[in-house]
Amino acid sequence: MSKIRIATCSCNLVTLRCSGDPASTIPFQCLQSQLRTGSIFGVQVGFLTEQTHIDGDVITYTRIYEDGSEIIFHFCPRCGDTMLLKTEFAPDYVIVPVGLFNEQDFPIRGVSTYEEKSKGWIKFDSEIDQFVK
């Protein structure tokens, strides 16, 4: 039986259930992630859509990036936490901020992105690859 991971928003109105391990664990250091999180980077995990089930209503916001691509943010309508993201680049995946999960035992799979946008003092001491544009 697959492990079930539970992600909840701050007010517990919305719950996301994810079965099994994610396909990727990715720290995003782009400016948009910095704005979204209020931090120097955001870490997300990518699950196949069929691995996820959301309980509760969400509101959405679509952002158009500089290259014209879309990313759709799904928020809790009460506390405003980002519950998941969907992108044109990965239409079969749901991207979930790692901080929403109680469990923090995610496997290292993926790449560190937008490192050219990172703060100079940020370095990852792990086996994660770097995505270079």
Side-chain angles (χ1 to χ4, degrees), residues 65-108:
Y65 278 98
E66 295 169 359
D67 64 3
S69 64
E70 290 184 353
I71 185 166
I72 303 170
F73 297 85
H74 297 249
F75 297 94
C76 171
R78 184 187 300 154
C79 67
D81 283 353
T82 302
M83 293 304 298
L84 62 94
L85 303 85
K86 297 210 51 118
T87 70
E88 291 178 345
F89 293 113
D92 297 331
Y93 290 87
V94 170
I95 301 165
V96 185
V98 167
L100 297 176
F101 294 93
N102 285 332
E103 305 89 0
Q104 296 296 311
D105 61 342
F106 292 101
I108 297 173

Side-chain angles (χ1 to χ4, degrees), residues 2-3 5 19-24 46-48 51 105-107 109:
S2 294
K3 179 175 183 164
R5 298 174 192 274
S19 63
D21 283 333
S24 61
F47 286 94
L48 287 168
Q51 289 179 272
D105 61 342
F106 292 101
R109 290 191 182 118

Side-chain angles (χ1 to χ4, degrees), residues 7-106:
T8 58
C9 63
S10 297
C11 70
N12 294 312
L13 182 66
V14 181
T15 301
L16 183 66
R17 299 178 195 294
C18 304
S19 63
D21 283 333
S24 61
T25 304
I26 303 174
F28 283 89
Q29 300 182 68
C30 65
L31 295 176
Q32 295 300 326
S33 288
Q34 292 176 32
L35 289 170
R36 180 180 61 80
T37 63
S39 186
I40 54 177
F41 60 89
V43 179
Q44 286 76 227
V45 287
F47 286 94
L48 287 168
T49 301
E50 62 262 18
Q51 289 179 272
T52 63
H53 176 77
I54 194 162
D55 293 313
D57 295 326
V58 293
I59 56 175
T60 61
Y61 171 73
T62 301
R63 178 180 291 153
I64 308 297
Y65 278 98
E66 295 169 359
D67 64 3
S69 64
E70 290 184 353
I71 185 166
I72 303 170
F73 297 85
H74 297 249
F75 297 94
C76 171
R78 184 187 300 154
C79 67
D81 283 353
T82 302
M83 293 304 298
L84 62 94
L85 303 85
K86 297 210 51 118
T87 70
E88 291 178 345
F89 293 113
D92 297 331
Y93 290 87
V94 170
I95 301 165
V96 185
V98 167
L100 297 176
F101 294 93
N102 285 332
E103 305 89 0
Q104 296 296 311
D105 61 342
F106 292 101

